[in-house]
C-alpha cells in the first residue's frame, strides 16, 4: 500500500503530516516513510531513528576518452541539454545538465564517450522499531531530481513487501518530480491550508492527480485560519476531506523545535488517527479487490 | 589583448549586462588595435537550461583573454572559463562598458 | 535600474506575502516579476488584469507519426525514460515521461518521429492595483520551471522598467537550489532571504545562501515568525552575522499575517504593527541598494 503525501504549495505541512502519520502507524505495525523531496529533504529532522544503511546513488553520464576522439562534434550536436560541449580540442561534459539519455555515447562514431557512473546523491535508511525511514538527498547543484526519486522508490519497493504501509513525502509543486513521486501511489493525500494561496495551489494539485487517475483526498491544515473556500471547493468537486488540523501556535512552536506533534498535541493525534483509519479502510478495500 | 564585456548593447557606451550566461551581447575590445566589435548572444533565450556553459563556449570562440561582467558566471560556466584560462573580473554590473574598462584598468574590479 | 530578488529556499515562510508588501510600498516606482512559477501566488494579492498573454514554449517532446511508423521498435530500445509504450499495437510517446532528448528521432529509420516544442505555459503582462505592471506566468501540469522561463519573465520586466524609467524590478524568486533559482539570482543587485526560525527553515536558508554567495550578491534577511523559537532564531542570527548578511527585520508570529492574505490584502495594508516591520525592512533595503522610492 503506497500513500503519497503531496501539496501544490510548499510549507502547507506535508512533512509534518508525513512524519507524524508514519510514526503513529508504526506504533502498531510496520511502516516505511520515504522523503522524496530530494532537493530539500526535511523529514529526517523530525525522525529519531538509527542509521542502518547508507548508499551512494549514481546516474549514468558520458565521460570523454581523448585517445580515439576525432573531434567531429556529433556529441554536441545530438545533446538537447547543452550537457556536452566541444571546446577547441576537447569535449567537456556537464554532469548536472545531463539527463542520461545515452545519445551522445551510443551515437559517437569512435566510442569516445562511454557511460560511467556519477554520484548524484545519497540514500540513507534508518530504523526505530516498526518505523523505517528512507531519505535521499541530491548533491547541491545537481539539477535532475527525477532519477534519484525513481531509484529511491525502487529501493523501498525492493526492501519492503506489498503489505507494508509506505508513506512517500513528495516534493512540492506540479512539475516532473511530483509526478514521479506520486505516479505509482495507490492513494494521494493532498495537504492544503484554507487560504487563497492554499486553494489556488490545491486546484493545480487536484488537476495533476486527476490527470494521473490516482484516487485522492484532502487534509486541511491550519484549519480556522483563513476562510471556508477550500471546504466549499472540495464539496463542489466531490473531493473527500479526510480530516482537518486546527491552526494552533503550539503546533508551530513544537514544529520549530523539530519535534513530533501527536504525542503532546491531542488535536493532531485525533487527526492522524482519522487519517490512519481512512488508509486502513482503503487498504482493506484494495486487498478485497485483489482477492 | 582581447577583453570581452557582457553588455546590453554593441558599443563602448552600452550599459553592462550584469548576467553572464544570458547576456544579450558581448562587446569585444581589442587593446592592441583599439578596435571595438560586438557579438549578438540573444539566441541564448531559446535555451531552457545550460545557458552558462554555452555562452562560455562562445567566449572561447571569440578568443577572449579577459572577461568583465556583473555577478559572475555560475558553476558550469566558471569551469569552462577556467579550462580556457580566461581571466574573469566581476562587479561591473551597474556600469557602462567604458566605465567597466576604466575600472578594470584602475584595478578596482574583483577577480574571481 | 536595480533588481531586488526575494528568495527563501523553503516553502511557507511568507516570502510571497512579504514580496507583495514590498511591491505595495514601492508602488509605481517598481515593476514586479513573479518568478515563483511553480506556486505563482502573488497575483492573488495584486489583482492583475491579465492584460496581455503570450504562450510559452520550452523543451522538446517526441511525436510518432503512425502512418510512417514501421513498428521496428528502435525508438523504444533507445529510450532510457520508458516513455514509448506500445498501446493497441502502436508505439506512442508518453508525454509525461518524455524528457525531450530527441534520441528516438535520431534512430528512427523512417523519420516517423518529430520533435516539437510543447506549449508549457503562459506569460502574462498585467496592470496591477499598485499602479504598476507585473510580469507573471502559469505553467502547465507536469511542466518544469526553467532558467529559460525565469529569464523570460525577468527580461520582460527589465525591458519595461527601462522603457518606463522605473527605479527597480522586484522579483519573487523561485524555490529550491536548481537552475530556476540560479536564473532568478543572475543579474540581481540585492537579495532578500525570507526565513523562519525552524530547524528546516535554517537548514534551507544555509543551502540557498551557498548559491547567493557564489554570485557574490549582497544579501539581507527577514526572519518571519521570529518569536516562534528563540533558540533557533539565535542560530539564524548567528549565521547571518558570520556571513555578513544584513538582518532586515524580525516579524513576530501573528495570525494577522495570514488574515491579510485571506482578505486579498498585503500585510502593510492590513495591520499597522506588522506593516511597520516591513516598512522598516524596505527603508533598509532602499538604503543599501541606493535608491529613493
Amino acid at each position: 500500500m503506497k500513500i503519497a503525501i503531496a501539496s501544490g504549495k510548499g510549507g502547507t505541512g506535508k512533512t509534518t503530516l508525513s512524519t507524524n502519520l508514519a510514526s503513529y502507524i508504526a506504533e502498531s505495525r510496520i511502516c516505511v516513510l520515504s522523503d522524496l523531496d530530494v532537493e530539500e529533504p526535511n523529514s529526517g529532522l523530525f525522525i529519531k531513528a538509527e542509521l542502518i544503511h547508507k548508499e551512494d546513488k549514481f546516474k549514468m553520464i558520458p565521460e570523454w576518452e581523448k585517445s580515439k576522439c576525432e573531434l567531429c562534434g556529433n556529441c554536441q550536436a545530438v545533446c538537447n541539454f547543452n550537457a556536452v560541449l566541444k571546446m577547441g580540442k576537447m569535449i567537456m561534459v556537464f554532469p548536472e545538465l545531463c539527463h542520461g539519455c545515452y545519445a551522445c555515447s551510443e551515437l559517437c562514431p569512435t566510442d569516445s564517450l562511454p557511460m560511467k557512473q556519477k554520484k548524484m546523491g545519497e540514500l540513507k535508511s534508518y530504523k526505530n522499531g516498526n518505523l523505517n525511514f528512507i531519505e535521499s538527498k541530491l548533491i547541491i547543484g545537481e539539477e535532475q531530481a527525477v532519477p534519484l526519486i525513481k531509484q529511491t522508490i525502487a529501493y523501498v519497493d525492493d526492501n519492503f513487501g506489498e503489505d507494508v504501509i509506505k508513506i512517500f513525502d513528495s516534493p512540492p509543486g506540479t512539475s516532473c518530480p511530483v509526478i514521479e513521486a506520486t505516479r505509482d501511489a495507490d492513494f494521494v493525500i493532498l495537504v492544503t491550508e484554507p487560504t487563497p494561496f492554499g486553494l489556488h495551489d490545491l486546484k493545480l494539485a487536484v488537476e495533476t492527480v486527476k490527470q494521473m487517475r490516482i484516487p485522492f483526498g484532502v487534509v486541511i491544515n491550519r484549519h480556522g485560519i483563513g476562510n471556508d473556500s477550500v471546504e466549499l471547493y472540495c464539496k463542489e468537486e466531490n473531493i473527500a476531506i479526510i480530516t482537518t488540523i486546527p491552526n494552533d501556535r503550539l503546533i508551530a512552536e513544537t514544529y520549530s523545535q523539530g519535534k513530533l506533534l501527536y504525542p503532546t498535541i491531542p488535536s493532531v493525534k485525533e487527526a492522524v488517527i482519522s487519517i490512519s483509519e481512512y488508509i486502513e479502510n482503503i487498504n482493506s478495500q484494495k486487498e478485497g479487490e485483489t482477492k | 589583448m582581447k577583453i570581452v564585456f557582457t553588455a546590453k548593447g554593441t558599443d563602448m557606451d552600452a550599459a553592462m549586462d550584469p548576467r553572464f550566461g544570458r547576456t544579450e551581447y558581448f562587446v569585444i575590445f581589442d587593446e592592441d588595435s583599439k578596435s571595438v566589435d560586438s557579438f549578438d548572444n540573444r539566441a541564448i533565450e531559446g535555451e531552457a537550461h545550460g545557458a552558462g556553459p554555452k555562452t562560455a563556449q562562445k567566449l572561447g570562440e571569440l578568443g577572449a583573454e579577459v572577461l568583465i561582467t556583473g555577478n559572475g558566471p555560475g558553476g558550469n560556466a566558471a569551469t569552462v572559463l577556467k579550462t580556457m584560462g580566461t581571466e574573469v573580473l566581476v562587479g561591473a554590473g551597474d556600469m557602462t562598458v567604458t566605465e567597466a574598462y576604466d575600472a578594470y584598468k584602475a584595478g578596482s574590479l574583483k577577480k574571481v | 535600474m536595480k533588481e531586488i530578488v526575494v528568495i527563501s529556499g523553503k516553502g511557507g515562510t511568507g516570502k510571497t506575502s512579504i514580496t507583495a508588501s514590498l511591491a505595495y510600498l514601492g508602488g509605481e516606482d517598481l515593476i514586479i516579476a513573479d518568478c515563483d512559477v511553480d506556486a505563482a501566488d502573488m497575483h492573488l494579492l495584486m489583482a492583475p488584469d491579465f492584460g496581455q498573454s503570450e504562450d510559452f514554449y520550452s523543451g522538446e517532446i517526441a511525436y510518432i507519426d503512425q502512418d510512417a511508423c514501421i513498428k521496428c521498435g528502435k525508438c523504444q530500445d533507445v529510450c532510457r525514460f520508458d516513455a514509448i509504450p506500445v498501446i493497441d499495437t502502436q508505439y506512442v510517446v508518453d508525454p509525461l515521461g518524455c524528457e525531450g532528448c530527441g534520441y528516438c528521432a535520431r534512430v528512427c529509420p523512417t523519420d516517423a518521429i518529430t520533435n516539437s516544442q510543447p506549449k508549457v505555459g503562459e506569460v502574462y503582462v498585467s496592470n496591477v492595483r499598485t499602479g504598476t505592471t507585473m510580469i507573471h506566468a502559469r505553467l502547465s501540469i507536469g511542466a518544469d520551471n526553467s532558467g529559460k522561463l525565469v529569464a523570460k519573465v525577468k527580461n520582460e520586466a527589465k525591458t519595461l522598467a527601462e522603457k518606463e524609467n522605473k527605479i527597480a524590478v522586484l522579483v519573487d524568486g523561485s524555490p529550491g537550489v536548481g537552475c530556476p533559482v540560479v536564473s532568478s539570482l543572475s543579474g540581481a543587485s540585492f537579495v532578500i532571504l525570507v526565513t523562519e526560525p525552524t530547524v528546516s527553515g535554517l537548514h534551507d536558508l544555509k543551502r540557498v545562501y551557498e548559491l547567493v554567495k557564489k554570485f557574490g550578491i549582497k544579501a539581507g534577511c527577514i526572519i518571519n515568525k521570529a518569536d516562534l523559537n528563540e533558540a533557533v532564531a539565535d542560530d539564524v542570527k548567528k549565521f547571518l552575522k558570520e556571513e555578513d548578511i544584513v538582518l532586515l527585520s524580525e516579524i513576530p508570529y501573528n495570525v494577522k499575517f495570514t488574515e491579510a492574505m485571506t482578505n486579498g490584502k498585503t500585510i502593510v495594508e492590513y495591520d499597522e504593527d506588522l506593516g511597520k516591520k516591513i516598512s522598516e525592512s524596505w527603508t533598509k533595503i532602499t538604503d543599501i541598494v541606493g535608491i529613493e522610492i
Side-chain angles (χ1 to χ4, degrees), chain A residues 85-109:
Chain A
L85 290 181
K86 186 181 150 213
M87 307 285 308
K89 290 205 162 133
M90 65 184 292
I91 305 293
M92 286 184 88
V93 176
F94 301 96
E96 299 87 3
L97 296 171
C98 178
H99 288 229
C101 76
Y102 284 62
C104 62
S105 180
E106 292 176 354
L107 296 174
C108 173

Side-chain angles (χ1 to χ4, degrees), chain A residues 151-171:
Chain A
Q151 290 191 27
T152 308
I153 296 174
Y155 179 89
V156 173
D157 285 345
D158 290 347
N159 286 280
F160 301 93
E162 273 287 312
D163 52 328
V164 174
I165 299 266
K166 298 165 187 154
I167 295 170
F168 294 96
D169 186 2
S170 312

